[in-house]
């Protein structure tokens, strides 16, 4: 689930922090910059693991702060393909079941990956899995708050860095119309764990933990 | 720690940073400064190592301890993101079996796993999830029907259950039920 990523960056320490130990200031700056943020094509950064190398600090003309090039390793949340994870169902909608693991919420199970046959109950806004056995059909509701196991199938990184000034037509549009569609920078597409039926109790253990 | 060595970058090149100034004068050097911060942040190795939940749990616990000890001398405004992510991640990891693990159990587990010929990712998943049924093993190990026989799966489950500590309450309950069963016979 978590990986260690080696990164390099230049950290700027303002003069009023010169009295503190360099390592501490740098650790704080790096955490301030990266913790809880998604780095494109890397993953969700959690916290600093260690600093592997500190190069010399420089002070540039015009700026009193010191700039230090740092080589460090960061703990990043980046599940590998086909990894099994446990999460909680956060909500259901027409485009699938949304699962969350507390610190990361953009996990979605598309309707195709749900156990077939599955249907969306409009009244209760939940997906229902119609499970048939010899005794009869059981309906397994995917309620909010239920813990499920899922397998990571795909991940998508979207570059959400701000774009330049928009074109002339967009700028002349109504100022009150704020078309700000927030895209999640990192999304996981997952599937419920599917294995051949052994017995009903084992299915239940799997999905409803 | 060691004394900080700072150099004022005048109008000369900086061989250690590997950047040549565009123009050899004071302002050229300043322009160079912006160039540095723009492309210096590089990702050297996107996948240097896989971390188990237990290692992250240890790291976060130590970090929390350190921050508590140092007191509230730092401003919390910049640290809010770190606090949030640490809290949420700790909350999640504390619900997994890794909270009962220790470095020794992890080492023992990896040594015991050497004989079973599993990939690193599979061993990591076994460590993080502590499966108790054969169904779970089938999920985590690819093509388990071809690679492992039923006895091997059983022995794998045994190893996992014996080396990796589970929920102590559950284990007490299980052992209590066992002794009851034996005494009743």
């Amino acid at each position: 689930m978590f990986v260690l990523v080696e990164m390099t960056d230049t950290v700027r320490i303002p003069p009023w922090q010169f009295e503190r130990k360099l390592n501490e200031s740098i650790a704080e700056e790096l955490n301030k910059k990266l913790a809880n943020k998604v780095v494109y094509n890397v993953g969700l950064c959690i916290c600093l693991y260690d600093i592997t190398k500190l190069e010399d600090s420089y002070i540039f003309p015009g700026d009193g702060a010191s700039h230090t090039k740092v080589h460090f390793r960061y703990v990043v949340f980046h599940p590998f393909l086909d990894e099994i994870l446990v999460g909680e169902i956060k909500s259901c909608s027409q485009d699938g079941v949304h699962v969350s693991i507390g610190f990361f919420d953009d996990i979605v199970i598309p309707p195709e990956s749900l156990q077939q046959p599955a249907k969306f109950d409009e009244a209760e806004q939940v997906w229902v899995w119609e499970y048939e056995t010899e005794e009869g059909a059981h309906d397994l509701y995917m309620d909010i708050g239920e813990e499920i196991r899922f397998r990571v199938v795909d991940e998508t990184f979207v570059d959400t860095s701000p774009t330049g000034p928009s074109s002339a037509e967009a700028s002349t549009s109504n100022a009150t119309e704020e078309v700000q569609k927030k895209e999640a920078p990192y999304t996981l597409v997952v599937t419920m764990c599917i294995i051949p039926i052994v017995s009903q109790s084992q299915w239940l253990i799997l999905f409803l933990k | 720690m060691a004394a900080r060595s700072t150099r004022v970058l005048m109008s000369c090149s900086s061989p250690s940073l590997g950047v040549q100034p565009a123009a050899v004068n004071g302002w050229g050097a300043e322009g160079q400064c912006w160039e540095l911060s723009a492309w210096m942040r590089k990702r050297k190795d996107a996948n240097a190592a896989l971390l188990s939940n237990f290692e992250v749990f240890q790291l976060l616990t130590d970090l929390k301890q350190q921050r508590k000890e140092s007191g509230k001398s730092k401003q919390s405004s910049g640290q809010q993101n770190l606090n949030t992510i640490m809290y949420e991640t700790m909350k999640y990891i504390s619900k997994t079996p890794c909270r009962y693990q220790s470095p020794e159990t992890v080492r023992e587990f990896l040594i015991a796993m050497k004989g079973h010929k599993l990939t690193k990712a599979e061993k990591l998943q076994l460590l993080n999830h502590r499966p108790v049924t054969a169904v779970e093993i089938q999920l985590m190990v690819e093509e388990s029907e071809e690679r492992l026989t039923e006895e091997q799966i059983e022995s794998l489950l045994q190893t996992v259950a014996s080396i990796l500590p589970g929920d102590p309450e559950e284990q007490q309950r299980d052992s209590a039920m066992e002794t009851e069963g034996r005494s009743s016979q």
Side-chain angles (χ1 to χ4, degrees), chain B residues 64-76:
Chain B
K64 199 156 73 161
Q65 195 61 33
Q66 264 178 26
R67 301 184 74 209
K68 215 187 289 186
E69 277 165 15
S70 71
K72 292 217 171 111
S73 53
K74 306 178 189 90
Q75 285 136 340
S76 52

Side-chain angles (χ1 to χ4, degrees), chain A residues 1-2 209, chain B residues 51-61 89-106 124-131 164-168:
Chain A
M1 203 180 351
F2 298 103
K209 211 178 173 219
Chain B
L51 286 177
S52 69
N53 287 7
F54 169 67
E55 288 171 297
V56 178
F57 179 67
Q58 253 191 336
L59 180 73
L60 290 177
T61 325
T89 313
M90 281 295 272
K91 204 164 83 165
Y92 176 76
I93 294 188
S94 312
K95 291 191 283 189
T96 65
C98 76
R99 69 188 185 283
Y100 307 116
Q101 292 169 2
S102 70
E104 294 79 34
T105 55
V106 174
L124 183 69
Q125 287 192 69
L126 292 178
L127 184 62
N128 284 344
H129 287 276
R130 194 178 181 263
L164 293 180
D167 190 353

Side-chain angles (χ1 to χ4, degrees), chain B residues 53-181:
Chain B
N53 287 7
F54 169 67
E55 288 171 297
V56 178
F57 179 67
Q58 253 191 336
L59 180 73
L60 290 177
T61 325
D62 290 341
L63 191 62
K64 199 156 73 161
Q65 195 61 33
Q66 264 178 26
R67 301 184 74 209
K68 215 187 289 186
E69 277 165 15
S70 71
K72 292 217 171 111
S73 53
K74 306 178 189 90
Q75 285 136 340
S76 52
S77 58
Q79 303 289 316
Q80 195 47 46
N81 266 328
L82 180 65
N83 293 342
T84 314
I85 192 76
M86 269 177 61
Y87 170 71
E88 294 284 351
T89 313
M90 281 295 272
K91 204 164 83 165
Y92 176 76
I93 294 188
S94 312
K95 291 191 283 189
T96 65
C98 76
R99 69 188 185 283
Y100 307 116
Q101 292 169 2
S102 70
E104 294 79 34
T105 55
V106 174
R107 213 177 308 136
E108 259 186 66
F109 177 75
L110 289 174
I111 294 173
M113 282 291 126
K114 268 195 199 160
H116 290 270
K117 283 194 283 215
L118 296 170
T119 67
K120 196 153 70 156
E122 288 163 2
K123 283 187 267 195
L124 183 69
Q125 287 192 69
L126 292 178
L127 184 62
N128 284 344
H129 287 276
R130 194 178 181 263
V132 290
T133 60
V135 170
E136 295 174 60
I137 301 266
Q138 278 183 348
L139 274 181
M140 294 178 199
V141 177
E142 272 177 66
E143 291 169 14
S144 53
E145 301 94 48
E146 290 145 26
R147 285 165 58 190
L148 302 171
T149 63
E150 278 204 31
E151 300 96 47
Q152 282 180 320
I153 296 185
E154 260 311 309
S155 81
L156 201 59
L157 283 172
Q158 285 285 355
T159 325
V160 167
S162 57
I163 297 185
L164 293 180
D167 190 353
E169 289 174 358
E170 258 184 51
Q171 286 182 333
Q172 270 180 17
R173 242 182 294 143
D174 288 345
S175 59
M177 274 172 22
E178 268 184 46
T179 50
E180 260 177 69

Side-chain angles (χ1 to χ4, degrees), chain A:
Chain A
M1 203 180 351
F2 298 103
V3 291
L4 216 52
V5 179
E6 280 178 30
M7 295 199 251
T8 313
D9 199 2
T10 307
V11 176
R12 176 184 185 269
I13 310 284
W16 51 89
Q17 291 186 10
F18 280 176
E19 59 182 5
R20 299 175 61 195
K21 293 208 168 113
L22 179 62
N23 285 29
E24 281 179 24
S25 316
I26 289 189
E28 198 186 309
E29 281 299 311
L30 288 175
N31 277 327
K32 209 190 283 193
K33 192 188 264 186
L34 290 174
N36 205 16
K37 305 246 169 85
V38 173
V39 177
Y40 187 62
N41 280 342
V42 172
L44 173 70
C45 297
I46 309 285
C47 73
L48 181 70
Y49 186 73
D50 64 2
I51 297 175
T52 45
K53 186 168 163 201
L54 270 182
E55 298 195 10
D56 290 332
S57 305
Y58 289 86
I59 296 183
F60 297 115
D63 183 10
S66 79
H67 299 252
T68 320
K69 185 171 173 194
V70 189
H71 302 252
F72 57 97
R73 293 190 289 187
Y74 220 84
V75 177
V76 175
F77 169 71
H78 190 181
F80 51 85
L81 197 61
D82 285 344
E83 181 169 0
I84 310 285
L85 292 176
V86 177
E88 238 181 50
I89 296 182
K90 200 175 57 167
S91 67
C92 293
S93 72
Q94 282 291 1
D95 34 273
V97 179
H98 299 270
V99 186
S100 134
I101 36 181
F103 56 93
F104 186 69
D105 285 347
D106 299 314
I107 303 175
V108 67
I109 309 181
E112 307 83 53
S113 315
L114 291 170
Q115 294 301 102
Q116 297 305 327
K119 69 173 198 297
F120 186 58
D121 189 344
E122 287 290 342
E124 297 187 31
Q125 291 284 306
V126 284
W127 281 93
V128 185
W129 175 34
E130 290 147 349
Y131 176 64
E132 298 227 356
T133 54
E134 304 87 40
E135 292 102 46
H138 300 262
D139 275 350
L140 286 178
Y141 281 84
M142 310 220 181
D143 294 320
I144 296 181
E146 279 199 27
E147 269 193 25
I148 61 163
R149 256 175 241 242
F150 51 88
R151 183 198 298 273
V152 176
V153 161
D154 191 20
E155 63 186 16
T156 330
F157 281 102
V158 175
D159 193 2
T160 53
S161 33
T163 51
S166 42
S167 58
E169 322 148 42
S171 58
T172 53
S173 64
N174 211 340
T176 53
E177 270 177 38
E178 280 190 4
V179 189
Q180 272 180 9
K181 193 165 169 258
K182 270 190 179 175
E183 267 205 56
Y186 180 34
T187 340
L188 285 179
V189 175
V190 303
T191 174
M192 302 269 278
C193 299
I194 299 175
I195 55 147
I197 293 182
V198 181
S199 79
Q200 186 186 356
S201 57
Q202 286 190 320
W203 271 116
L204 290 176
I205 296 173
L206 231 102
F207 296 114
L208 308 173
K209 211 178 173 219

